[in-house]
Amino acid sequence: MRSDEIVMQSYGRCCASASFFDDFYQRFLDSSEEVREKFVNTNMPAQKQLLRQGILNLVLYSRGLPPTKLKALAESHSRGKLDVQPHLYELWLESLLLTIEQHDSSFDTSIKHAWAEVLRKGIDVIKSGY
Ligand code: HEM
């Protein structure tokens, strides 16, 4: 199976797990003070819904869709706007991979590598707009 297909199936299992997005944000916020500061005024239930779609956009990009949505995220996360410095995406990626490991009952190293490949491509697009 191609990486994007492995990831689509794994993401389906993660989204079926009730606390997936709660656990992701718990882990991500715990990862650094800088991350916590970014979300002080955020409505977290709404943010969890936005992230559900955001991850899907990363997966669809790896399946060949044009990066239109990712370019918009690059713009909103850029310097002068949300100002998400590039190193913070490493914490995001690490937090997400650990949360996937926790929630995908079929998780193994090939699933981990597939996710890392898929997410890396999309994150590069978003970071390059900083
Ligand atoms: C590839 C990884 C990421 C994806 C897919 C993603 C996705 C999103 C989406 C869909 C939104 C809402 C729409 C928008 O504002 O454009 C958003 C908002 C936001 N993101 Fe990200 N994001 C990512 C990485 C990060 C990182 C690393 C940080 C750093 C802490 C961050 C901080 C924020 C903040 C502060 C908001 C605004 C929250 C609010 O409205 O109060 N994001 N993100």
Side-chain angles (χ1 to χ4, degrees):
M1 240 193 298
R2 294 199 316 254
S3 293
D4 61 287
E5 291 167 345
I6 294 172
V7 165
M8 277 302 260
Q9 294 189 4
S10 170
Y11 193 41
R13 291 187 294 272
C14 290
C15 288
S17 179
S19 63
F20 179 71
F21 291 95
D22 292 336
D23 290 351
F24 165 73
Y25 273 110
Q26 191 63 61
R27 213 183 263 283
F28 187 39
L29 294 173
D30 283 350
S31 72
S32 98
E33 182 61 36
E34 239 181 319
V35 172
R36 284 193 291 283
E37 281 168 5
K38 290 282 178 204
F39 290 104
V40 278
N41 295 315
T42 301
N43 170 349
M44 291 314 284
Q47 186 65 22
K48 286 166 194 165
Q49 284 307 313
L50 290 166
L51 185 68
R52 180 184 290 264
Q53 194 63 40
I55 293 172
L56 189 63
N57 286 325
L58 294 174
V59 178
L60 292 175
Y61 172 60
S62 86
R63 294 181 72 110
L65 252 67
T68 319
K69 293 269 167 48
L70 299 188
K71 291 265 171 68
L73 280 178
E75 173 69 19
S76 70
H77 286 62
S78 67
R79 197 183 343 234
K81 297 206 169 171
L82 290 170
D83 194 21
V84 175
Q85 291 179 36
H87 71 273
L88 296 176
Y89 292 91
E90 302 311 316
L91 298 176
W92 187 94
L93 179 62
E94 179 69 12
S95 302
L96 187 61
L97 289 173
L98 288 168
T99 312
I100 294 164
E101 176 167 7
Q102 181 189 347
H103 287 269
D104 179 358
S105 51
S106 304
F107 192 85
D108 62 16
T109 54
S110 70
I111 292 180
K112 181 175 181 165
H113 290 140
W115 270 105
E117 181 190 335
V118 161
L119 295 172
R120 176 60 59 199
K121 280 190 215 159
I123 287 175
D124 284 349
V125 172
I126 300 175
K127 282 205 297 196
S128 70
Y130 182 72

